[in-house]
Amino acid sequence: MRMSRALQFFILLVGLCLDRCGHSSSSSSSSREAGQVPVSHMKMLSLGLAHLMQGVEENAGRLEEQGEQVEEDLDTATKSLESLQKQNVQTGRTHRRVRRELQILRAKGDRLWRSIRDLLEEQCHLLLDQGDLELQMKRILQRVESLTEPRTEGQKQIDMSTMK
């Protein structure tokens, strides 16, 4: 936009110069003073300069549009990066929480396995003790049966000696 005003101002100045030069050249069109540029050259130069300024203005407009697009892209990328940073922070917190919970669960699991191992050992001892008790009960029952059976006098004396 500033370029457009500058272009308009420049063309106005060139026009004024041409107009001034046109008046002075009409009064002395046949005689040229040294260092004076012919009006036709000035018109050609001003047209070329106007065309160049128009190209510069168009390029400036395109560059502004590209700048705005880059700014939008940068804003989008910045927002995306900020979002990723927030997610990263949240992921870190979640990761630490999960590691703590996993450590707690492992400790509980270790305690449970120790309890299971202790219970299995106790069960083995109880089974062995049960086997010993069953054997003792069997012997006691055999003795009780042998004592309760009717026998002769000689057998009773023999059985009494086994009881001692």
Side-chain angles (χ1 to χ4, degrees), residues 25-130:
S25 67
S26 62
S27 62
S28 62
S29 59
S30 60
S31 66
R32 273 195 203 163
E33 294 178 19
Q36 217 178 19
V37 179
V39 175
S40 62
H41 288 157
M42 285 295 283
K43 285 182 181 179
M44 185 68 84
L45 283 173
S46 68
L47 286 175
L49 194 53
H51 182 69
L52 184 64
M53 289 300 286
Q54 184 180 2
V56 168
E57 184 179 353
E58 289 173 2
N59 284 343
R62 276 190 239 120
L63 286 174
E64 283 182 25
E65 289 175 7
Q66 287 177 354
E68 290 171 359
Q69 182 62 41
V70 167
E71 184 180 2
E72 289 176 14
D73 292 347
L74 230 124
D75 286 344
T76 302
T78 301
K79 288 176 184 175
S80 177
L81 181 62
E82 289 171 353
S83 174
L84 286 173
Q85 286 173 335
K86 287 177 185 176
Q87 287 177 357
N88 187 27
V89 167
Q90 185 61 36
T91 300
R93 289 178 187 153
T94 303
H95 180 70
R96 285 188 294 276
R97 189 173 348 119
V98 166
R99 286 182 63 197
R100 273 194 314 265
E101 290 177 9
L102 181 62
Q103 190 176 14
I104 290 169
L105 289 174
R106 282 184 178 160
K108 286 180 180 179
D110 290 345
R111 284 193 303 269
L112 286 173
W113 278 112
R114 279 193 298 271
S115 297
I116 288 170
R117 188 187 66 225
D118 292 346
L119 286 172
L120 287 173
E121 286 177 7
E122 188 63 33
Q123 183 184 17
C124 285
H125 292 309
L126 288 174
L127 288 173
L128 288 174
D129 290 346
Q130 183 182 0

